[in-house]
Amino acid sequence: MNNASKDIWFTVVTHNTPIAIGYCAPERLTEGTYNLYAIAVHKDFQGKGVGKQMMHYIATKLRENGNRIILVETSGKTEFERTRTFYRKCHYIEQATIPEFYDKDDDKIIFWKRL
């Protein structure tokens, strides 16, 4: 049995300092579907293309390894509109809204992208 994890952690480093992180893992009970659980860029580097490069990197890596789909989710709250806009700019398609998922008045918005 192969117990090697298929989870992927990635970090962007500049001048020996980490400025961004990402984490994705296979979606259970699927073939070739990954979930991007975390992507974060230090505030001093936001708006400079780092996040977009990270999204391109992980999509390319997953595609090269024979995967088919990547999902990402975020909050439906107003303060997450910038995040949702970012995913749309990265060519993710908004596929579903689950009302009150995180909390009362906090929907879960799911984005999808074919690799």
Side-chain angles (χ1 to χ4, degrees):
M1 178 184 340
N2 181 356
N3 288 329
S5 173
K6 294 185 179 183
D7 293 12
I8 301 170
W9 285 93
F10 49 108
T11 305
V12 178
V13 177
T14 185
H15 304 295
N16 294 321
T17 302
I19 62 165
I21 61 99
Y23 169 68
C24 66
E27 181 67 31
R28 292 180 181 163
L29 305 175
T30 68
E31 288 295 326
T33 300
Y34 264 72
N35 225 315
L36 180 63
Y37 289 111
I39 183 168
V41 177
H42 187 281
K43 64 180 178 142
D44 293 346
F45 294 89
Q46 291 178 358
K48 298 180 181 182
V50 175
K52 189 171 183 178
Q53 289 174 346
M54 292 174 71
M55 297 297 276
H56 176 74
Y57 166 81
I58 197 59
T60 300
K61 182 170 182 61
L62 291 172
R63 185 180 319 105
E64 288 172 351
N65 288 328
N67 295 290
R68 306 174 302 110
I69 294 169
I70 187 166
L71 303 173
V72 65
E73 63 188 56
T74 191
S75 171
K77 286 188 168 187
T78 304
E79 56 262 39
F80 286 85
E81 182 56 40
R82 184 174 172 199
T83 302
R84 294 189 299 273
T85 298
F86 170 73
Y87 293 137
R88 290 181 195 109
K89 285 182 179 178
C90 291
H91 307 288
Y92 283 69
I93 299 168
E94 190 172 323
Q95 285 293 315
T97 300
I98 302 173
E100 299 185 9
F101 180 83
Y102 296 109
D103 200 354
K104 183 181 175 189
D105 300 323
D106 191 0
D107 301 343
K108 175 180 181 174
I109 311 296
I110 302 169
F111 289 83
W112 170 94
K113 184 174 185 176
R114 181 183 309 279
L115 300 169

